[in-house]
Amino acid sequence: MGKKSEATASEEAAAVEEAPTEKRQTAEEKRVGDDPAGPEDTGVSEGGAVHKARVAQTISDKLAANAGKRPDRVTCPEHLPARVGATIRCELTAGSNTFGVTVTATSVNGKQVNYNFKVDDNVE
């Protein structure tokens, strides 16, 4: 715990260590808002994967930033493998609607995993 906080820029480390909600997620396509930010969302690989709770939190944070409203719930049943092209399916609940979300790892550099997500167009 806390070992990696010295390995990155100090302000970035504080966000990673204390508030994973500060991580940014890039969506290739999303239902709400437009985000001009590039693919900068990353997660630290723990045992060869990004923890499912971190992925879910990042999706929720990104949608809240884009739409001004956080989804009621985002859940991911599995960790995202730290492998380019690896995908997992998550679930987003907003009110009475539930949407599927596809998360894809776009690049892996050491313990840094970049990934994006796409919310399904149709309610499940």
Side-chain angles (χ1 to χ4, degrees):
M1 258 184 161
K3 279 187 175 181
K4 96 179 184 40
S5 64
E6 299 302 317
T8 58
S10 58
E11 54 191 57
E12 182 102 52
V16 170
E17 287 297 319
E18 298 168 46
T21 58
E22 293 301 316
K23 301 304 272 174
R24 297 288 170 235
Q25 181 68 36
T26 298
E28 288 179 338
E29 192 177 315
K30 45 197 171 315
R31 293 178 49 75
V32 290
D34 278 332
D35 185 6
E40 57 192 51
D41 252 1
T42 63
V44 175
S45 172
E46 306 274 337
V50 181
H51 195 282
K52 60 187 178 183
R54 179 175 294 220
V55 175
Q57 184 66 54
T58 301
I59 292 169
S60 182
D61 291 345
K62 187 65 170 182
L63 291 173
N66 289 339
K69 185 176 178 188
R70 186 173 295 280
D72 295 328
R73 189 177 78 219
V74 178
T75 56
C76 298
E78 58 186 328
H79 305 312
L80 177 64
R83 186 177 67 248
V84 173
T87 62
I88 60 171
R89 291 284 291 164
C90 298
E91 192 173 87
L92 178 155
T93 303
S96 61
N97 296 323
T98 300
F99 297 91
V101 181
T102 301
V103 181
T104 306
T106 56
S107 68
V108 179
N109 184 5
K111 288 190 172 190
Q112 189 170 20
V113 180
N114 296 304
Y115 53 98
N116 58 33
F117 67 90
K118 179 187 182 303
V119 178
D120 292 352
D121 293 332
N122 300 320
V123 177
E124 289 183 349

